[in-house]
Structure formats: C-alpha cells, structure tokens
Amino acid sequence: MTDARPMLNVIQEPAGCACGEHDGDLPELDVRPIPHRIRHGSVFGALSAIGSGEAMVLVAPHDPKPLLAQIAEREAGSISVTYLEQGPEAWRLRLQRD
C-alpha cells in the first residue's frame, strides 16, 4: 500500500552560505513573535500571496515539520522548500511556488 498524501520537495542542504544576505528581496515572514494558535494561518495567508516562480523566507522557532506537512497537503506539491538555517535559535526556510 502506498501513501497517497502529497509531498513537498524538501532540500536539506543550505543554499549557498545560508547567511541570508543572498536571498535578494524575498519577503520574509518571522513567525516567532506570532501567537502559536494563529501561526500556521499566518503562513498560509503569506503563501497565498506568492505567485508561480516566486518565493518567501519563513523564520520559525523550531523545525516546522508539522507545518510543512500541512503545506504539502494544501498546496498539492506546488511548494518547494530549502532549509537555509537549521537552528538552534531559528530555522530559516525558503518556500517557493513551482
């Protein structure tokens, strides 16, 4: 039996040096100060503003695996994820609409 849930294209290796200086003018959403109960909704709202071929940077207080699973399910595999920074203070991910 195969798992029919949508999957995200997740790249574990940081792109470039991961300092963030090379991300250009990508919009960045830092969800750390957002109350936990509305964090995922905030991310979904921001993703809805990202057009085909566009990207945003998400800054989270932990590895957002549950959120990534929800994004994969909602977006039917149209979002690619690249980890730019992996803790311990913050996780930075580039989310791009394919």
PDB file of all heavy atoms in Angstrom, residues 8 10 12 29 31-32 36 39-40 43-44 47 57-72 81-87 90-95:
ATOM      1  N   LEU A   8       6.193  17.457  -0.171  1.00  0.00           N
ATOM      2  CA  LEU A   8       6.922  18.657  -0.529  1.00  0.00           C
ATOM      3  C   LEU A   8       8.291  18.255  -1.030  1.00  0.00           C
ATOM      4  O   LEU A   8       8.863  17.274  -0.580  1.00  0.00           O
ATOM      5  CB  LEU A   8       7.133  19.558   0.690  1.00  0.00           C
ATOM      6  CG  LEU A   8       5.942  20.336   1.207  1.00  0.00           C
ATOM      7  CD1 LEU A   8       6.321  21.052   2.494  1.00  0.00           C
ATOM      8  CD2 LEU A   8       5.469  21.339   0.195  1.00  0.00           C
ATOM      9  N   VAL A  10      11.676  18.878  -0.405  1.00  0.00           N
ATOM     10  CA  VAL A  10      12.457  19.492   0.659  1.00  0.00           C
ATOM     11  C   VAL A  10      13.932  19.259   0.394  1.00  0.00           C
ATOM     12  O   VAL A  10      14.365  18.127   0.192  1.00  0.00           O
ATOM     13  CB  VAL A  10      12.074  18.922   2.043  1.00  0.00           C
ATOM     14  CG1 VAL A  10      12.958  19.509   3.130  1.00  0.00           C
ATOM     15  CG2 VAL A  10      10.607  19.183   2.329  1.00  0.00           C
ATOM     16  N   GLN A  12      17.470  19.543   2.139  1.00  0.00           N
ATOM     17  CA  GLN A  12      18.039  19.665   3.472  1.00  0.00           C
ATOM     18  C   GLN A  12      19.307  20.500   3.509  1.00  0.00           C
ATOM     19  O   GLN A  12      19.614  21.121   4.494  1.00  0.00           O
ATOM     20  CB  GLN A  12      18.338  18.277   4.050  1.00  0.00           C
ATOM     21  CG  GLN A  12      17.097  17.491   4.365  1.00  0.00           C
ATOM     22  CD  GLN A  12      16.310  18.056   5.533  1.00  0.00           C
ATOM     23  OE1 GLN A  12      16.813  18.818   6.337  1.00  0.00           O
ATOM     24  NE2 GLN A  12      15.052  17.699   5.621  1.00  0.00           N
ATOM     25  N   LEU A  29       8.891  36.174   6.453  1.00  0.00           N
ATOM     26  CA  LEU A  29       7.876  36.103   7.499  1.00  0.00           C
ATOM     27  C   LEU A  29       8.506  35.435   8.710  1.00  0.00           C
ATOM     28  O   LEU A  29       8.805  34.235   8.679  1.00  0.00           O
ATOM     29  CB  LEU A  29       6.650  35.318   7.025  1.00  0.00           C
ATOM     30  CG  LEU A  29       5.546  35.107   8.068  1.00  0.00           C
ATOM     31  CD1 LEU A  29       4.991  36.452   8.550  1.00  0.00           C
ATOM     32  CD2 LEU A  29       4.441  34.235   7.510  1.00  0.00           C
ATOM     33  N   VAL A  31       7.764  34.132  12.115  1.00  0.00           N
ATOM     34  CA  VAL A  31       6.580  33.754  12.885  1.00  0.00           C
ATOM     35  C   VAL A  31       6.856  33.616  14.377  1.00  0.00           C
ATOM     36  O   VAL A  31       5.934  33.381  15.145  1.00  0.00           O
ATOM     37  CB  VAL A  31       5.935  32.450  12.345  1.00  0.00           C
ATOM     38  CG1 VAL A  31       5.486  32.618  10.913  1.00  0.00           C
ATOM     39  CG2 VAL A  31       6.857  31.264  12.506  1.00  0.00           C
ATOM     40  N   ARG A  32       8.088  33.806  14.793  1.00  0.00           N
ATOM     41  CA  ARG A  32       8.417  33.635  16.216  1.00  0.00           C
ATOM     42  C   ARG A  32       7.593  34.532  17.136  1.00  0.00           C
ATOM     43  O   ARG A  32       7.145  34.060  18.178  1.00  0.00           O
ATOM     44  CB  ARG A  32       9.920  33.823  16.437  1.00  0.00           C
ATOM     45  CG  ARG A  32      10.737  32.715  15.763  1.00  0.00           C
ATOM     46  CD  ARG A  32      12.213  32.942  15.868  1.00  0.00           C
ATOM     47  NE  ARG A  32      12.574  34.130  15.090  1.00  0.00           N
ATOM     48  CZ  ARG A  32      13.788  34.620  15.023  1.00  0.00           C
ATOM     49  NH1 ARG A  32      14.777  34.059  15.692  1.00  0.00           N
ATOM     50  NH2 ARG A  32      14.035  35.687  14.282  1.00  0.00           N
ATOM     51  N   HIS A  36       1.127  31.249  18.920  1.00  0.00           N
ATOM     52  CA  HIS A  36       1.147  29.903  18.341  1.00  0.00           C
ATOM     53  C   HIS A  36      -0.174  29.520  17.673  1.00  0.00           C
ATOM     54  O   HIS A  36      -0.181  28.912  16.602  1.00  0.00           O
ATOM     55  CB  HIS A  36       1.512  28.875  19.419  1.00  0.00           C
ATOM     56  CG  HIS A  36       1.760  27.527  18.870  1.00  0.00           C
ATOM     57  ND1 HIS A  36       0.789  26.559  18.803  1.00  0.00           N
ATOM     58  CD2 HIS A  36       2.864  26.981  18.318  1.00  0.00           C
ATOM     59  CE1 HIS A  36       1.287  25.474  18.247  1.00  0.00           C
ATOM     60  NE2 HIS A  36       2.544  25.697  17.952  1.00  0.00           N
ATOM     61  N   ARG A  39      -0.239  30.974  14.122  1.00  0.00           N
ATOM     62  CA  ARG A  39       0.984  30.927  13.309  1.00  0.00           C
ATOM     63  C   ARG A  39       0.767  30.266  11.959  1.00  0.00           C
ATOM     64  O   ARG A  39       1.151  30.813  10.931  1.00  0.00           O
ATOM     65  CB  ARG A  39       2.062  30.141  14.059  1.00  0.00           C
ATOM     66  CG  ARG A  39       3.208  30.962  14.446  1.00  0.00           C
ATOM     67  CD  ARG A  39       4.266  30.138  15.121  1.00  0.00           C
ATOM     68  NE  ARG A  39       4.658  30.876  16.310  1.00  0.00           N
ATOM     69  CZ  ARG A  39       5.309  30.373  17.303  1.00  0.00           C
ATOM     70  NH1 ARG A  39       5.658  29.103  17.302  1.00  0.00           N
ATOM     71  NH2 ARG A  39       5.636  31.118  18.327  1.00  0.00           N
ATOM     72  N   HIS A  40       0.193  29.073  11.941  1.00  0.00           N
ATOM     73  CA  HIS A  40       0.034  28.359  10.671  1.00  0.00           C
ATOM     74  C   HIS A  40      -0.866  29.138   9.723  1.00  0.00           C
ATOM     75  O   HIS A  40      -0.578  29.235   8.532  1.00  0.00           O
ATOM     76  CB  HIS A  40      -0.511  26.953  10.905  1.00  0.00           C
ATOM     77  CG  HIS A  40       0.484  26.027  11.508  1.00  0.00           C
ATOM     78  ND1 HIS A  40       0.351  24.664  11.454  1.00  0.00           N
ATOM     79  CD2 HIS A  40       1.647  26.243  12.184  1.00  0.00           C
ATOM     80  CE1 HIS A  40       1.374  24.093  12.064  1.00  0.00           C
ATOM     81  NE2 HIS A  40       2.173  25.036  12.527  1.00  0.00           N
ATOM     82  N   VAL A  43       1.080  31.793   8.000  1.00  0.00           N
ATOM     83  CA  VAL A  43       1.928  31.269   6.927  1.00  0.00           C
ATOM     84  C   VAL A  43       1.085  30.964   5.692  1.00  0.00           C
ATOM     85  O   VAL A  43       1.471  31.298   4.569  1.00  0.00           O
ATOM     86  CB  VAL A  43       2.713  30.028   7.388  1.00  0.00           C
ATOM     87  CG1 VAL A  43       3.482  29.410   6.226  1.00  0.00           C
ATOM     88  CG2 VAL A  43       3.663  30.387   8.519  1.00  0.00           C
ATOM     89  N   PHE A  44      -0.080  30.348   5.881  1.00  0.00           N
ATOM     90  CA  PHE A  44      -0.939  30.038   4.734  1.00  0.00           C
ATOM     91  C   PHE A  44      -1.360  31.317   4.018  1.00  0.00           C
ATOM     92  O   PHE A  44      -1.407  31.369   2.785  1.00  0.00           O
ATOM     93  CB  PHE A  44      -2.180  29.246   5.163  1.00  0.00           C
ATOM     94  CG  PHE A  44      -1.868  27.915   5.779  1.00  0.00           C
ATOM     95  CD1 PHE A  44      -2.585  27.459   6.862  1.00  0.00           C
ATOM     96  CD2 PHE A  44      -0.849  27.111   5.294  1.00  0.00           C
ATOM     97  CE1 PHE A  44      -2.311  26.233   7.445  1.00  0.00           C
ATOM     98  CE2 PHE A  44      -0.556  25.883   5.868  1.00  0.00           C
ATOM     99  CZ  PHE A  44      -1.296  25.446   6.943  1.00  0.00           C
ATOM    100  N   LEU A  47       1.645  32.549   2.027  1.00  0.00           N
ATOM    101  CA  LEU A  47       1.862  31.702   0.843  1.00  0.00           C
ATOM    102  C   LEU A  47       0.856  32.005  -0.256  1.00  0.00           C
ATOM    103  O   LEU A  47       1.183  31.895  -1.440  1.00  0.00           O
ATOM    104  CB  LEU A  47       1.778  30.216   1.214  1.00  0.00           C
ATOM    105  CG  LEU A  47       3.025  29.587   1.787  1.00  0.00           C
ATOM    106  CD1 LEU A  47       2.745  28.141   2.206  1.00  0.00           C
ATOM    107  CD2 LEU A  47       4.179  29.639   0.808  1.00  0.00           C
ATOM    108  N   VAL A  57      10.786  33.727   2.507  1.00  0.00           N
ATOM    109  CA  VAL A  57      11.585  33.099   3.555  1.00  0.00           C
ATOM    110  C   VAL A  57      10.727  33.040   4.809  1.00  0.00           C
ATOM    111  O   VAL A  57      10.115  34.034   5.211  1.00  0.00           O
ATOM    112  CB  VAL A  57      12.883  33.889   3.817  1.00  0.00           C
ATOM    113  CG1 VAL A  57      13.628  33.319   5.021  1.00  0.00           C
ATOM    114  CG2 VAL A  57      13.775  33.857   2.585  1.00  0.00           C
ATOM    115  N   LEU A  58      10.679  31.859   5.414  1.00  0.00           N
ATOM    116  CA  LEU A  58       9.961  31.639   6.657  1.00  0.00           C
ATOM    117  C   LEU A  58      10.993  31.496   7.770  1.00  0.00           C
ATOM    118  O   LEU A  58      11.958  30.732   7.623  1.00  0.00           O
ATOM    119  CB  LEU A  58       9.115  30.365   6.562  1.00  0.00           C
ATOM    120  CG  LEU A  58       8.472  29.881   7.857  1.00  0.00           C
ATOM    121  CD1 LEU A  58       7.390  30.847   8.317  1.00  0.00           C
ATOM    122  CD2 LEU A  58       7.904  28.483   7.671  1.00  0.00           C
ATOM    123  N   VAL A  59      10.807  32.219   8.863  1.00  0.00           N
ATOM    124  CA  VAL A  59      11.669  32.101  10.039  1.00  0.00           C
ATOM    125  C   VAL A  59      10.812  31.532  11.162  1.00  0.00           C
ATOM    126  O   VAL A  59       9.772  32.107  11.514  1.00  0.00           O
ATOM    127  CB  VAL A  59      12.268  33.456  10.450  1.00  0.00           C
ATOM    128  CG1 VAL A  59      13.201  33.280  11.649  1.00  0.00           C
ATOM    129  CG2 VAL A  59      13.000  34.100   9.290  1.00  0.00           C
ATOM    130  N   ALA A  60      11.227  30.393  11.717  1.00  0.00           N
ATOM    131  CA  ALA A  60      10.455  29.699  12.742  1.00  0.00           C
ATOM    132  C   ALA A  60      11.325  29.401  13.965  1.00  0.00           C
ATOM    133  O   ALA A  60      12.546  29.322  13.847  1.00  0.00           O
ATOM    134  CB  ALA A  60       9.895  28.393  12.166  1.00  0.00           C
ATOM    135  N   PRO A  61      10.701  29.202  15.130  1.00  0.00           N
ATOM    136  CA  PRO A  61      11.463  28.920  16.344  1.00  0.00           C
ATOM    137  C   PRO A  61      11.918  27.468  16.476  1.00  0.00           C
ATOM    138  O   PRO A  61      12.668  27.134  17.388  1.00  0.00           O
ATOM    139  CB  PRO A  61      10.479  29.281  17.461  1.00  0.00           C
ATOM    140  CG  PRO A  61       9.141  29.010  16.867  1.00  0.00           C
ATOM    141  CD  PRO A  61       9.276  29.376  15.405  1.00  0.00           C
ATOM    142  N   HIS A  62      11.441  26.611  15.568  1.00  0.00           N
ATOM    143  CA  HIS A  62      11.791  25.185  15.587  1.00  0.00           C
ATOM    144  C   HIS A  62      11.638  24.653  14.165  1.00  0.00           C
ATOM    145  O   HIS A  62      11.113  25.333  13.288  1.00  0.00           O
ATOM    146  CB  HIS A  62      10.892  24.399  16.555  1.00  0.00           C
ATOM    147  CG  HIS A  62       9.430  24.513  16.212  1.00  0.00           C
ATOM    148  ND1 HIS A  62       8.822  23.759  15.240  1.00  0.00           N
ATOM    149  CD2 HIS A  62       8.464  25.333  16.694  1.00  0.00           C
ATOM    150  CE1 HIS A  62       7.554  24.087  15.145  1.00  0.00           C
ATOM    151  NE2 HIS A  62       7.308  25.045  16.017  1.00  0.00           N
ATOM    152  N   ASP A  63      12.090  23.425  13.940  1.00  0.00           N
ATOM    153  CA  ASP A  63      11.919  22.806  12.625  1.00  0.00           C
ATOM    154  C   ASP A  63      10.420  22.617  12.381  1.00  0.00           C
ATOM    155  O   ASP A  63       9.748  21.885  13.117  1.00  0.00           O
ATOM    156  CB  ASP A  63      12.648  21.459  12.578  1.00  0.00           C
ATOM    157  CG  ASP A  63      12.753  20.893  11.185  1.00  0.00           C
ATOM    158  OD1 ASP A  63      12.162  21.453  10.241  1.00  0.00           O
ATOM    159  OD2 ASP A  63      13.449  19.868  11.032  1.00  0.00           O
ATOM    160  N   PRO A  64       9.854  23.290  11.381  1.00  0.00           N
ATOM    161  CA  PRO A  64       8.399  23.299  11.198  1.00  0.00           C
ATOM    162  C   PRO A  64       7.846  22.099  10.416  1.00  0.00           C
ATOM    163  O   PRO A  64       7.032  22.256   9.504  1.00  0.00           O
ATOM    164  CB  PRO A  64       8.171  24.611  10.445  1.00  0.00           C
ATOM    165  CG  PRO A  64       9.386  24.756   9.607  1.00  0.00           C
ATOM    166  CD  PRO A  64      10.515  24.225  10.462  1.00  0.00           C
ATOM    167  N   LYS A  65       8.249  20.907  10.763  1.00  0.00           N
ATOM    168  CA  LYS A  65       7.797  19.714  10.029  1.00  0.00           C
ATOM    169  C   LYS A  65       6.277  19.560   9.992  1.00  0.00           C
ATOM    170  O   LYS A  65       5.736  19.251   8.932  1.00  0.00           O
ATOM    171  CB  LYS A  65       8.469  18.472  10.589  1.00  0.00           C
ATOM    172  CG  LYS A  65       9.932  18.409  10.259  1.00  0.00           C
ATOM    173  CD  LYS A  65      10.575  17.149  10.786  1.00  0.00           C
ATOM    174  CE  LYS A  65      12.053  17.144  10.444  1.00  0.00           C
ATOM    175  NZ  LYS A  65      12.718  15.939  10.925  1.00  0.00           N
ATOM    176  N   PRO A  66       5.549  19.764  11.106  1.00  0.00           N
ATOM    177  CA  PRO A  66       4.082  19.654  11.021  1.00  0.00           C
ATOM    178  C   PRO A  66       3.489  20.681  10.045  1.00  0.00           C
ATOM    179  O   PRO A  66       2.580  20.360   9.279  1.00  0.00           O
ATOM    180  CB  PRO A  66       3.605  19.909  12.452  1.00  0.00           C
ATOM    181  CG  PRO A  66       4.774  19.534  13.310  1.00  0.00           C
ATOM    182  CD  PRO A  66       5.989  19.942  12.508  1.00  0.00           C
ATOM    183  N   LEU A  67       4.014  21.909  10.059  1.00  0.00           N
ATOM    184  CA  LEU A  67       3.551  22.935   9.125  1.00  0.00           C
ATOM    185  C   LEU A  67       3.851  22.526   7.690  1.00  0.00           C
ATOM    186  O   LEU A  67       3.002  22.682   6.798  1.00  0.00           O
ATOM    187  CB  LEU A  67       4.212  24.277   9.439  1.00  0.00           C
ATOM    188  CG  LEU A  67       3.958  25.400   8.442  1.00  0.00           C
ATOM    189  CD1 LEU A  67       2.484  25.776   8.402  1.00  0.00           C
ATOM    190  CD2 LEU A  67       4.822  26.599   8.770  1.00  0.00           C
ATOM    191  N   LEU A  68       5.041  21.993   7.438  1.00  0.00           N
ATOM    192  CA  LEU A  68       5.401  21.567   6.080  1.00  0.00           C
ATOM    193  C   LEU A  68       4.468  20.465   5.587  1.00  0.00           C
ATOM    194  O   LEU A  68       4.101  20.444   4.407  1.00  0.00           O
ATOM    195  CB  LEU A  68       6.859  21.118   6.022  1.00  0.00           C
ATOM    196  CG  LEU A  68       7.897  22.195   6.325  1.00  0.00           C
ATOM    197  CD1 LEU A  68       9.299  21.611   6.256  1.00  0.00           C
ATOM    198  CD2 LEU A  68       7.752  23.386   5.399  1.00  0.00           C
ATOM    199  N   ALA A  69       4.068  19.568   6.478  1.00  0.00           N
ATOM    200  CA  ALA A  69       3.110  18.521   6.088  1.00  0.00           C
ATOM    201  C   ALA A  69       1.765  19.140   5.712  1.00  0.00           C
ATOM    202  O   ALA A  69       1.136  18.725   4.727  1.00  0.00           O
ATOM    203  CB  ALA A  69       2.945  17.516   7.223  1.00  0.00           C
ATOM    204  N   GLN A  70       1.331  20.143   6.460  1.00  0.00           N
ATOM    205  CA  GLN A  70       0.072  20.816   6.135  1.00  0.00           C
ATOM    206  C   GLN A  70       0.174  21.568   4.813  1.00  0.00           C
ATOM    207  O   GLN A  70      -0.766  21.563   4.018  1.00  0.00           O
ATOM    208  CB  GLN A  70      -0.314  21.779   7.249  1.00  0.00           C
ATOM    209  CG  GLN A  70      -0.784  21.096   8.503  1.00  0.00           C
ATOM    210  CD  GLN A  70      -1.148  22.099   9.579  1.00  0.00           C
ATOM    211  OE1 GLN A  70      -0.591  23.200   9.648  1.00  0.00           O
ATOM    212  NE2 GLN A  70      -2.080  21.733  10.440  1.00  0.00           N
ATOM    213  N   ILE A  71       1.319  22.202   4.566  1.00  0.00           N
ATOM    214  CA  ILE A  71       1.519  22.917   3.305  1.00  0.00           C
ATOM    215  C   ILE A  71       1.472  21.934   2.143  1.00  0.00           C
ATOM    216  O   ILE A  71       0.841  22.197   1.117  1.00  0.00           O
ATOM    217  CB  ILE A  71       2.845  23.702   3.311  1.00  0.00           C
ATOM    218  CG1 ILE A  71       2.758  24.880   4.289  1.00  0.00           C
ATOM    219  CG2 ILE A  71       3.197  24.193   1.909  1.00  0.00           C
ATOM    220  CD1 ILE A  71       4.082  25.582   4.536  1.00  0.00           C
ATOM    221  N   ALA A  72       2.123  20.791   2.293  1.00  0.00           N
ATOM    222  CA  ALA A  72       2.127  19.780   1.229  1.00  0.00           C
ATOM    223  C   ALA A  72       0.707  19.335   0.910  1.00  0.00           C
ATOM    224  O   ALA A  72       0.340  19.183  -0.263  1.00  0.00           O
ATOM    225  CB  ALA A  72       2.983  18.580   1.646  1.00  0.00           C
ATOM    226  N   VAL A  81      10.761  23.501  -0.743  1.00  0.00           N
ATOM    227  CA  VAL A  81      11.318  24.019   0.495  1.00  0.00           C
ATOM    228  C   VAL A  81      12.825  23.809   0.508  1.00  0.00           C
ATOM    229  O   VAL A  81      13.300  22.715   0.217  1.00  0.00           O
ATOM    230  CB  VAL A  81      10.698  23.300   1.721  1.00  0.00           C
ATOM    231  CG1 VAL A  81      11.321  23.807   3.016  1.00  0.00           C
ATOM    232  CG2 VAL A  81       9.190  23.475   1.735  1.00  0.00           C
ATOM    233  N   THR A  82      13.564  24.857   0.842  1.00  0.00           N
ATOM    234  CA  THR A  82      15.010  24.765   1.023  1.00  0.00           C
ATOM    235  C   THR A  82      15.351  25.286   2.409  1.00  0.00           C
ATOM    236  O   THR A  82      14.994  26.415   2.748  1.00  0.00           O
ATOM    237  CB  THR A  82      15.765  25.615  -0.027  1.00  0.00           C
ATOM    238  OG1 THR A  82      15.386  25.189  -1.326  1.00  0.00           O
ATOM    239  CG2 THR A  82      17.275  25.469   0.128  1.00  0.00           C
ATOM    240  N   TYR A  83      16.011  24.452   3.207  1.00  0.00           N
ATOM    241  CA  TYR A  83      16.456  24.898   4.526  1.00  0.00           C
ATOM    242  C   TYR A  83      17.665  25.806   4.339  1.00  0.00           C
ATOM    243  O   TYR A  83      18.653  25.411   3.752  1.00  0.00           O
ATOM    244  CB  TYR A  83      16.839  23.711   5.401  1.00  0.00           C
ATOM    245  CG  TYR A  83      15.663  23.012   6.038  1.00  0.00           C
ATOM    246  CD1 TYR A  83      14.904  22.108   5.308  1.00  0.00           C
ATOM    247  CD2 TYR A  83      15.334  23.248   7.356  1.00  0.00           C
ATOM    248  CE1 TYR A  83      13.819  21.469   5.893  1.00  0.00           C
ATOM    249  CE2 TYR A  83      14.260  22.599   7.943  1.00  0.00           C
ATOM    250  CZ  TYR A  83      13.502  21.725   7.211  1.00  0.00           C
ATOM    251  OH  TYR A  83      12.433  21.092   7.786  1.00  0.00           O
ATOM    252  N   LEU A  84      17.579  27.031   4.860  1.00  0.00           N
ATOM    253  CA  LEU A  84      18.676  27.986   4.793  1.00  0.00           C
ATOM    254  C   LEU A  84      19.464  28.005   6.101  1.00  0.00           C
ATOM    255  O   LEU A  84      20.660  28.265   6.110  1.00  0.00           O
ATOM    256  CB  LEU A  84      18.144  29.390   4.490  1.00  0.00           C
ATOM    257  CG  LEU A  84      17.323  29.536   3.208  1.00  0.00           C
ATOM    258  CD1 LEU A  84      16.721  30.932   3.116  1.00  0.00           C
ATOM    259  CD2 LEU A  84      18.174  29.226   1.992  1.00  0.00           C
ATOM    260  N   GLU A  85      18.775  27.765   7.203  1.00  0.00           N
ATOM    261  CA  GLU A  85      19.388  27.738   8.534  1.00  0.00           C
ATOM    262  C   GLU A  85      18.603  26.740   9.376  1.00  0.00           C
ATOM    263  O   GLU A  85      17.370  26.718   9.321  1.00  0.00           O
ATOM    264  CB  GLU A  85      19.327  29.130   9.163  1.00  0.00           C
ATOM    265  CG  GLU A  85      19.946  29.245  10.525  1.00  0.00           C
ATOM    266  CD  GLU A  85      19.833  30.648  11.107  1.00  0.00           C
ATOM    267  OE1 GLU A  85      19.535  31.595  10.352  1.00  0.00           O
ATOM    268  OE2 GLU A  85      20.035  30.797  12.317  1.00  0.00           O
ATOM    269  N   GLN A  86      19.313  25.911  10.148  1.00  0.00           N
ATOM    270  CA  GLN A  86      18.643  24.876  10.941  1.00  0.00           C
ATOM    271  C   GLN A  86      19.020  25.003  12.409  1.00  0.00           C
ATOM    272  O   GLN A  86      19.792  24.211  12.931  1.00  0.00           O
ATOM    273  CB  GLN A  86      18.997  23.498  10.397  1.00  0.00           C
ATOM    274  CG  GLN A  86      18.497  23.289   8.978  1.00  0.00           C
ATOM    275  CD  GLN A  86      18.741  21.890   8.481  1.00  0.00           C
ATOM    276  OE1 GLN A  86      18.466  20.928   9.168  1.00  0.00           O
ATOM    277  NE2 GLN A  86      19.282  21.771   7.279  1.00  0.00           N
ATOM    278  N   GLY A  87      18.488  26.014  13.064  1.00  0.00           N
ATOM    279  CA  GLY A  87      18.618  26.204  14.499  1.00  0.00           C
ATOM    280  C   GLY A  87      20.000  26.599  14.953  1.00  0.00           C
ATOM    281  O   GLY A  87      20.852  26.896  14.137  1.00  0.00           O
ATOM    282  N   ALA A  90      16.881  29.721  15.440  1.00  0.00           N
ATOM    283  CA  ALA A  90      15.850  29.928  14.413  1.00  0.00           C
ATOM    284  C   ALA A  90      16.084  28.968  13.260  1.00  0.00           C
ATOM    285  O   ALA A  90      17.209  28.568  12.987  1.00  0.00           O
ATOM    286  CB  ALA A  90      15.886  31.366  13.908  1.00  0.00           C
ATOM    287  N   TRP A  91      15.003  28.606  12.628  1.00  0.00           N
ATOM    288  CA  TRP A  91      15.043  27.835  11.380  1.00  0.00           C
ATOM    289  C   TRP A  91      14.579  28.786  10.293  1.00  0.00           C
ATOM    290  O   TRP A  91      13.530  29.418  10.422  1.00  0.00           O
ATOM    291  CB  TRP A  91      14.113  26.626  11.467  1.00  0.00           C
ATOM    292  CG  TRP A  91      14.729  25.428  12.085  1.00  0.00           C
ATOM    293  CD1 TRP A  91      15.106  24.290  11.437  1.00  0.00           C
ATOM    294  CD2 TRP A  91      15.044  25.209  13.466  1.00  0.00           C
ATOM    295  NE1 TRP A  91      15.640  23.401  12.331  1.00  0.00           N
ATOM    296  CE2 TRP A  91      15.620  23.945  13.583  1.00  0.00           C
ATOM    297  CE3 TRP A  91      14.917  25.990  14.614  1.00  0.00           C
ATOM    298  CZ2 TRP A  91      16.042  23.430  14.791  1.00  0.00           C
ATOM    299  CZ3 TRP A  91      15.341  25.478  15.820  1.00  0.00           C
ATOM    300  CH2 TRP A  91      15.897  24.216  15.893  1.00  0.00           C
ATOM    301  N   ARG A  92      15.367  28.900   9.235  1.00  0.00           N
ATOM    302  CA  ARG A  92      15.014  29.747   8.094  1.00  0.00           C
ATOM    303  C   ARG A  92      14.831  28.832   6.898  1.00  0.00           C
ATOM    304  O   ARG A  92      15.712  28.042   6.584  1.00  0.00           O
ATOM    305  CB  ARG A  92      16.103  30.783   7.817  1.00  0.00           C
ATOM    306  CG  ARG A  92      16.232  31.809   8.930  1.00  0.00           C
ATOM    307  CD  ARG A  92      17.325  32.834   8.648  1.00  0.00           C
ATOM    308  NE  ARG A  92      16.856  33.770   7.645  1.00  0.00           N
ATOM    309  CZ  ARG A  92      17.361  33.886   6.422  1.00  0.00           C
ATOM    310  NH1 ARG A  92      18.388  33.168   6.028  1.00  0.00           N
ATOM    311  NH2 ARG A  92      16.868  34.757   5.570  1.00  0.00           N
ATOM    312  N   LEU A  93      13.673  28.954   6.241  1.00  0.00           N
ATOM    313  CA  LEU A  93      13.356  28.124   5.085  1.00  0.00           C
ATOM    314  C   LEU A  93      12.899  29.003   3.943  1.00  0.00           C
ATOM    315  O   LEU A  93      12.170  29.970   4.133  1.00  0.00           O
ATOM    316  CB  LEU A  93      12.216  27.155   5.420  1.00  0.00           C
ATOM    317  CG  LEU A  93      12.499  26.098   6.466  1.00  0.00           C
ATOM    318  CD1 LEU A  93      12.255  26.621   7.854  1.00  0.00           C
ATOM    319  CD2 LEU A  93      11.645  24.891   6.220  1.00  0.00           C
ATOM    320  N   ARG A  94      13.348  28.644   2.761  1.00  0.00           N
ATOM    321  CA  ARG A  94      12.892  29.308   1.535  1.00  0.00           C
ATOM    322  C   ARG A  94      11.761  28.469   0.981  1.00  0.00           C
ATOM    323  O   ARG A  94      11.936  27.279   0.685  1.00  0.00           O
ATOM    324  CB  ARG A  94      14.046  29.390   0.524  1.00  0.00           C
ATOM    325  CG  ARG A  94      13.699  30.136  -0.730  1.00  0.00           C
ATOM    326  CD  ARG A  94      14.961  30.243  -1.595  1.00  0.00           C
ATOM    327  NE  ARG A  94      14.854  31.276  -2.588  1.00  0.00           N
ATOM    328  CZ  ARG A  94      14.427  31.061  -3.821  1.00  0.00           C
ATOM    329  NH1 ARG A  94      14.081  29.860  -4.220  1.00  0.00           N
ATOM    330  NH2 ARG A  94      14.349  32.069  -4.669  1.00  0.00           N
ATOM    331  N   LEU A  95      10.588  29.075   0.851  1.00  0.00           N
ATOM    332  CA  LEU A  95       9.411  28.398   0.303  1.00  0.00           C
ATOM    333  C   LEU A  95       9.150  28.984  -1.068  1.00  0.00           C
ATOM    334  O   LEU A  95       8.943  30.192  -1.203  1.00  0.00           O
ATOM    335  CB  LEU A  95       8.192  28.613   1.205  1.00  0.00           C
ATOM    336  CG  LEU A  95       8.355  28.249   2.688  1.00  0.00           C
ATOM    337  CD1 LEU A  95       7.103  28.606   3.456  1.00  0.00           C
ATOM    338  CD2 LEU A  95       8.687  26.787   2.844  1.00  0.00           C
TER     339      LEU A  95
END
